[in-house]
Amino acid sequence: MTFEHPFFRRSDKEQRRFQFKLGLASLVVLLVSGGLLFAVVQLPLLLLVLAVEFAVVSSIIAPFFDVPALVRSGKLRYYSPFLLAERERNGTVVLHAGTLFDSWFLFPGEMPAGDRKRLALAGIVNGLIQLIEEHTTCENRADRSASTVRITSYILNERNAQRLGLERRSTDAMQKFILYYNYFNLTASFSLLHRHLRFPSIRSVQTFEGKLAELAEQKARLEALRDRLER
């Protein structure tokens, strides 16, 4: 469903041009800040500060390169513009409720924060419906019914997840490490969602799981919820 995503509606040339400009702008920021710091900071500390700054900038811009590359390679696919899935492994479908890359292209600049939240949640719900519909038409439906759906998100809360047929699970140590490593990326996403600078708590990012067969039983409820959110 990448055709619904504004980035993927661009030509290959336009996509590459956007990524080039983003990479160039990031490089300029690093060079300018490095030049300013060089005048006031001693070399050992300067190198440390630049290393941290490089890690932060890389974390923020990474989804704009990683997501398109992973989609093209088939390692990621969109079920809706706000819901991506990795390839199923060991009976588990790992879902991602949008990235900074998606938020940047999908939130109109003038859209209020409340409408952004509804748009994002509606996108997640619609993606789950697409996943269910794929499940109900696939040839190995009986085998896939036992698959587990897992999603980690800062948009979903426990109440909404339960309405979708998902239960909260503890976020494992590796997931927490990844979240802390990508904290500034998460901050940028969180700020776009709320339309102002906002630093999220890692606790606000929660993991939910459910069986695909049980999720499929919630299709009518999901469709009703999507219609309410999109109304």
Side-chain angles (χ1 to χ4, degrees):
M1 298 190 65
T2 53
F3 63 88
E4 295 185 25
H5 198 295
F7 180 81
F8 292 101
R9 287 201 296 264
R10 300 182 177 194
S11 67
D12 290 344
K13 184 177 180 180
E14 290 173 327
Q15 292 177 22
R16 289 193 296 269
R17 184 184 297 122
F18 171 84
Q19 291 174 324
F20 174 78
K21 288 181 178 179
L22 178 61
L24 182 61
S26 301
L27 180 60
V28 169
V29 168
L30 290 171
L31 291 175
V32 170
S33 61
L36 294 174
L37 288 169
F38 182 76
V40 296
V41 179
Q42 293 183 347
L43 185 59
L45 181 58
L46 174 63
L47 294 177
L48 176 61
V49 172
L50 288 178
V52 171
E53 186 179 358
F54 177 79
V56 170
V57 172
S58 298
S59 169
I60 291 174
I61 70 171
F64 293 89
F65 297 89
D66 294 345
V67 173
L70 291 171
V71 168
R72 294 189 192 101
S73 68
K75 294 180 180 179
L76 276 181
R77 61 169 297 187
Y78 279 90
Y79 280 101
S80 81
F82 275 104
L83 191 70
L84 303 91
E86 298 179 17
R87 288 175 180 170
E88 183 173 346
R89 290 178 293 180
N90 301 320
T92 299
V93 180
V94 177
L95 302 174
H96 300 276
T99 66
L100 175 59
F101 166 76
D102 303 304
S103 298
W104 178 265
F105 284 102
L106 295 167
F107 289 142
E110 71 284 355
M111 179 178 282
D115 290 344
R116 293 184 179 207
K117 295 174 186 177
R118 283 191 291 273
L119 176 65
L121 184 56
I124 294 171
V125 172
N126 193 50
L128 291 174
I129 293 171
Q130 297 298 326
L131 174 63
I132 290 169
E133 291 180 346
E134 179 186 82
H135 159 67
T136 56
T137 57
C138 69
E139 295 180 357
N140 60 337
R141 177 181 174 183
D143 295 333
R144 204 179 182 200
S145 294
S147 296
T148 297
V149 175
R150 179 183 300 138
I151 180 171
T152 299
S153 171
Y154 61 88
I155 298 172
L156 279 179
N157 56 40
E158 190 165 2
R159 179 185 176 188
N160 286 330
Q162 288 177 343
R163 292 165 67 186
L164 305 181
L166 303 172
E167 296 294 330
R168 185 178 177 182
R169 296 288 185 267
S170 59
T171 304
D172 61 41
M174 180 55 70
Q175 284 179 308
K176 287 183 178 179
F177 172 79
I178 293 172
L179 289 172
Y180 279 111
Y181 178 78
N182 290 290
Y183 184 76
F184 289 98
N185 180 296
L186 184 61
T187 297
S189 297
F190 215 60
S191 299
L192 280 177
L193 181 67
H194 292 274
R195 285 201 70 189
H196 63 82
L197 180 61
R198 185 162 178 174
F199 295 96
S201 167
I202 295 299
R203 293 181 180 179
S204 67
V205 184
Q206 302 180 59
T207 300
F208 303 97
E209 280 189 3
K211 292 296 183 182
L212 182 53
E214 295 173 357
L215 182 64
E217 294 174 358
Q218 304 295 324
K219 184 181 178 183
R221 178 182 290 184
L222 289 168
E223 290 175 332
L225 176 59
R226 177 196 59 190
D227 294 341
R228 288 199 301 273
L229 290 167
E230 293 180 346
R231 192 171 300 141

